Amino acid sequence: MDINTFYKNLGTNKEILIEDSKVPLPSKIEISKNPDVAMWAVDENSNFYPVKSVSSKLDTGVYEVKSGFNGVYFSKVNLENNTKLVSLTNDVSVKIINTIDKFLKNTEFFSTNSIPFKKGILVYGSEKSGKTTAIYKVVKSFPGIVLHNPHPVLLQIALNYLKQIERIPVLVTLDNITNQNVKTLIDIIDNNSNVIYLASASDASTLSPELLSIDRFSSLEFIKELSQSDRETYIKEKFPTIDISNVKIWSEKTKDFNIPELNSLLISVLGYNYTIDKA
């Protein structure tokens, strides 16, 4: 097939066979029309990419940072699909929301004193004590752009894009940080401003003191173990059809349970007709 015929067929939905080519190409390429493609996105090398639309602003919301054929991109996450969150006495989300709100209102102090506008908040506590739930509540209330648990390398690239285009504070969530990538994380924090880092860890005492310095993670919030009152609240709110007379008994028998364990127990009893002792 000559090159003119090849390009002529590009506008069809037919399968194009590549014959007698010295270039190592696939034996078959499927070309399909995309009615949503209506505009061009242009990169710094004058490469044009067909897209549905272009925007000078990134919508507020939560994004995963991903890497594809054309580089790093932002994929929006729909938080509304998540299940109902229960408010417990060990919940620190309201305190964190207030901390972030005060920080965002204090930009003048940082600019006047030439201090990079950034803040780190660490939520720590035993495994599955509710750290992720607390962070999720903060994320839902944040009025701007959230980058959810990005890979450190992709995070730095994403922040480079955002400070060139958006120039507004960004919330970055980091799940279960450890000392394994502490140098990379410190480099990212030290070299970027207009960022709030909201991280979780099981034990803050095991983290590098460098990471927990005042200019990196200055706020530490501890999540306590579930109390009996918390377990009662969780049972009643997550399973509203439950016989109320059983709630106190169950909350007493699940003293050392964390949230996932408590949830599994209730599903076993209510869904699969196990007795609480057998479950």
Side-chain angles (χ1 to χ4, degrees):
M1 178 184 292
D2 62 66
I3 192 67
N4 291 326
T5 304
F6 177 81
Y7 278 112
K8 182 179 179 181
N9 288 335
L10 281 177
T12 73
N13 287 322
K14 297 178 180 178
E15 296 178 350
I16 299 176
L17 299 179
I18 309 297
E19 299 173 353
D20 301 325
S21 174
K22 296 181 180 180
V23 180
L25 295 173
S27 61
K28 182 171 68 174
I29 299 177
E30 293 185 1
I31 305 297
S32 61
K33 292 180 179 178
N34 184 348
D36 291 334
V37 170
M39 305 186 77
W40 298 101
V42 189
D43 67 13
E44 70 277 8
N45 297 315
S46 296
N47 294 315
F48 287 69
Y49 302 96
V51 293
K52 180 178 179 180
S53 62
V54 293
S55 173
S56 60
K57 301 293 290 181
L58 193 64
D59 291 342
T60 59
V62 184
Y63 293 85
E64 291 180 343
V65 183
K66 298 182 177 180
S67 178
F69 181 74
N70 290 326
V72 170
Y73 63 97
F74 299 74
S75 179
K76 200 163 190 180
V77 179
N78 184 7
L79 292 182
E80 300 306 318
N81 291 335
N82 285 270
T83 56
K84 178 184 175 183
L85 297 172
V86 179
S87 295
L88 305 173
T89 60
N90 72 343
D91 188 8
V92 296
S93 61
V94 174
K95 187 176 180 182
I96 295 172
I97 290 169
N98 290 336
T99 298
I100 291 175
D101 185 56
K102 289 179 181 178
F103 174 73
L104 292 175
K105 292 176 179 177
N106 202 22
T107 55
E108 186 177 347
F109 169 82
F110 288 84
S111 60
T112 301
N113 293 281
S114 300
I115 301 173
F117 190 65
K118 58 187 176 182
K119 184 173 183 62
I121 303 170
L122 177 67
V123 181
Y124 70 101
S126 61
E127 187 178 358
K128 304 187 187 304
S129 58
K131 299 185 293 292
T132 301
T133 299
I135 289 175
Y136 176 74
K137 289 182 180 180
V138 175
V139 164
K140 287 194 72 174
S141 74
F142 190 72
I145 295 168
V146 180
L147 304 183
H148 175 60
N149 201 31
H151 185 280
V153 174
L154 297 183
L155 172 58
Q156 183 57 72
I157 297 172
L159 292 176
N160 286 341
Y161 285 144
L162 289 172
K163 64 185 171 186
Q164 292 179 60
I165 304 172
E166 299 293 338
R167 300 184 182 179
I168 60 172
V170 176
L171 177 65
V172 176
T173 66
L174 300 166
D175 291 346
N176 197 28
I177 62 172
T178 65
N179 287 324
Q180 184 176 358
N181 295 318
V182 68
K183 187 179 184 304
T184 302
L185 186 54
I186 287 175
D187 286 343
I188 291 173
I189 294 173
D190 289 353
N191 290 295
N192 293 279
S193 59
N194 271 358
V195 187
I196 301 167
Y197 301 92
L198 179 56
S200 67
S202 296
D203 188 353
S205 66
T206 63
L207 295 176
S208 166
E210 288 183 274
L211 191 61
L212 302 181
S213 63
I214 192 70
D215 57 339
R216 292 174 185 136
F217 284 94
S218 56
S219 298
L220 274 64
E221 300 294 344
F222 175 64
I223 292 189
K224 300 179 293 185
E225 299 287 343
L226 295 180
S227 66
Q228 182 174 331
S229 173
D230 285 331
R231 294 194 297 277
E232 287 185 19
T233 300
Y234 184 87
I235 293 169
K236 286 188 284 189
E237 289 196 27
K238 291 290 285 188
F239 301 91
T241 59
I242 193 172
D243 184 350
I244 198 70
S245 63
N246 290 327
V247 171
K248 187 171 184 179
I249 297 172
W250 289 8
S251 64
E252 289 174 347
K253 290 191 173 185
T254 54
K255 181 179 178 182
D256 298 322
F257 280 44
N258 58 38
I259 290 175
E261 290 169 344
L262 186 58
N263 195 62
S264 296
L265 173 73
L266 291 167
I267 291 173
S268 297
V269 173
L270 300 175
Y272 298 102
N273 299 317
Y274 280 63
T275 64
I276 189 168
D277 294 319
K278 184 178 179 182

